[in-house]
Amino acid sequence: MTLDVCPAGRSAVLATFDSLDDVVAFHAGLTAAEVPGLTEVVSGARTLLLRFDPDRTDAGRLRSGLAGVVPVTADRSVDDRAPLVIPVTYDGEDLDAVARTTGMTRDELVAWHTGQVWTSAFCGFAPGFSYLTGTAPSLDLPRRSTSRTAVPSGAVALAGEFSAVYPRSSPGGWQLIGRTEVAMWSLDRDPPALAPAGTRLRFVEAPPA
């Protein structure tokens, strides 16, 4: 794994990686390690912004601490906490189209989506919108050719290598396969985001109403 670290202001450094898998693995390694002075980690698609307490460390010492971090891949994760469970009703507007595109039946597509553990790689687009990567081979699904002007809150979607749950109503071009009542963003929680970077979760098919 190639790790490129450069200063980002007086109390942060930016680590750049070759791939999203490297970002996720290094973030998991940071969770398992103890890096003195590190106060916050903000994930991106190819980066980690690492904020530190200047009273406890500096950029040089932080770099030295990062050199000792052992990346943790999904197949050897040390996180023994049970994944968050997200019940989903699989009746999305694009479910049949996605099944046809991938050569699956509806049941096979649902089994693929529910039969793996997903990890929040990073957050973006909207508060609480977590880009989730799975442990099963990706479908690498294209986005819709035309975006919707309004995707409802709680819509469960696929695009590229990711799955996501829309935390609020917003425009969007992802393929909609289902819906959930679970709130991905709530100001009544601390933190408000249900699935910040590094969170593991599993989708389960909701029982019929």
Side-chain angles (χ1 to χ4, degrees):
M1 177 185 295
T2 302
L3 179 61
D4 178 25
V5 181
C6 63
R10 293 181 294 178
S11 59
V13 298
L14 185 70
T16 303
F17 300 83
D18 292 331
S19 70
L20 177 60
D21 287 343
D22 288 349
V23 173
V24 173
F26 197 85
H27 188 282
L30 276 174
T31 301
E34 293 185 5
V35 180
L38 183 64
T39 60
E40 185 180 14
V41 181
V42 181
S43 293
R46 295 291 184 275
T47 60
L48 290 174
L49 179 67
L50 307 162
R51 294 194 174 102
F52 60 86
D53 181 352
D55 294 331
R56 297 176 56 197
T57 190
D58 55 37
R61 283 184 287 171
L62 186 65
R63 284 195 191 93
S64 297
L66 296 177
V69 172
V70 178
V72 177
T73 56
D75 60 353
R76 63 184 188 88
S77 174
V78 297
D79 190 345
D80 58 359
R81 294 171 297 178
L84 293 173
V85 174
I86 308 293
V88 177
T89 301
Y90 286 94
D91 60 358
E93 295 179 42
D94 301 316
L95 183 64
D96 289 333
V98 171
R100 288 192 299 270
T101 298
T102 58
M104 296 180 176
T105 65
R106 286 171 61 112
D107 288 345
E108 288 170 341
L109 180 58
V110 171
W112 172 86
H113 197 245
T114 58
Q116 57 184 304
V117 174
W118 296 84
T119 299
S120 175
F122 60 98
C123 298
F125 174 64
F129 191 100
S130 300
Y131 289 76
L132 308 172
T133 58
T135 50
S138 168
L139 298 180
D140 195 21
L141 193 69
R143 298 183 182 215
R144 288 171 51 87
S145 57
T146 302
S147 295
R148 292 181 169 92
T149 57
V151 174
S153 173
V156 179
L158 299 171
E161 63 187 290
F162 302 108
S163 186
V165 180
Y166 280 78
R168 63 184 184 187
S169 178
S170 65
W174 288 36
Q175 308 278 1
L176 307 184
I177 62 171
R179 54 190 167 88
T180 181
E181 299 297 324
V182 175
M184 301 302 291
W185 177 264
S186 173
L187 294 177
D188 295 330
R189 285 194 303 251
D190 184 19
L194 181 66
T199 303
R200 298 162 64 246
L201 57 86
R202 184 183 291 278
F203 295 105
V204 297
E205 188 169 9

